[in-house]
Amino acid sequence: MEKIIKPTDTADQKARKICQLGFTAISRKKPVLSVPNALEVLKNKVGDCNEHSVLLVALLRAAGIPAQMEAGLVYLHGRFYWHAWNVLYLGKWVTSDAVFNQIPADVTHIRLVRGDGVEQMNLME
């Protein structure tokens, strides 16, 4: 992490650098049928929006920036898709999407749940 952010970086600068890292760290974008954890994501460099989101939460928290996962719908190419992204605290809560390398995430994101993963499963009940 020390190679990415500097102690003199502001929280906003740290968040942007970490989001960029989250965008590039997963080199093979494909669905993964598992419950992701950040260490496995870094090791395998494979995943979809869930892996991006889990990795970004871990990296942001390691840098001292409060962060959570969000999930819901994103509007892309004329359709809505299930998607996961993040929200982080930079004096106020700001959305971030490592899949699209966005801070803040654009207005096509419609949140249905926020939390560390279990909340997504509650939508299926």
Side-chain angles (χ1 to χ4, degrees):
M1 186 75 93
E2 296 82 25
K3 293 178 183 179
I4 305 299
I5 59 175
K6 299 178 180 118
T8 57
D9 285 344
T10 66
D12 184 67
Q13 290 170 322
K14 289 178 185 179
R16 290 184 184 282
K17 289 178 179 181
I18 291 169
C19 187
Q20 175 66 34
L21 174 63
F23 175 70
T24 59
I26 299 175
S27 54
R28 290 188 11 225
K29 317 270 193 236
K30 70 175 200 171
V32 176
L33 300 174
S34 68
V35 178
N37 74 59
L39 291 176
E40 287 296 315
V41 172
L42 277 175
K43 176 182 166 189
N44 297 327
K45 299 181 181 352
V46 174
D48 57 22
C49 59
N50 289 308
E51 282 74 21
H52 278 280
S53 184
V54 165
L55 178 60
L56 202 60
V57 164
L59 293 173
L60 288 163
R61 288 177 180 172
I65 300 171
Q68 294 181 343
M69 293 175 61
E70 290 191 335
L73 302 173
V74 66
Y75 189 74
L76 185 65
H77 306 298
R79 296 176 186 234
F80 286 99
Y81 296 92
W82 179 257
H83 191 55
W85 60 93
N86 301 93
V87 62
L88 51 129
Y89 193 77
L90 300 172
K92 63 180 181 177
W93 288 101
V94 177
T95 54
S96 175
D97 190 331
V99 172
F100 301 123
N101 196 23
Q102 297 175 341
I103 294 180
D106 66 29
V107 297
T108 64
H109 295 70
I110 302 169
R111 179 186 64 191
L112 299 177
V113 294
R114 178 186 284 181
D116 286 335
V118 176
E119 289 77 7
Q120 291 185 40
M121 299 307 288
N122 291 339
L123 290 175
M124 296 182 182
E125 293 180 350

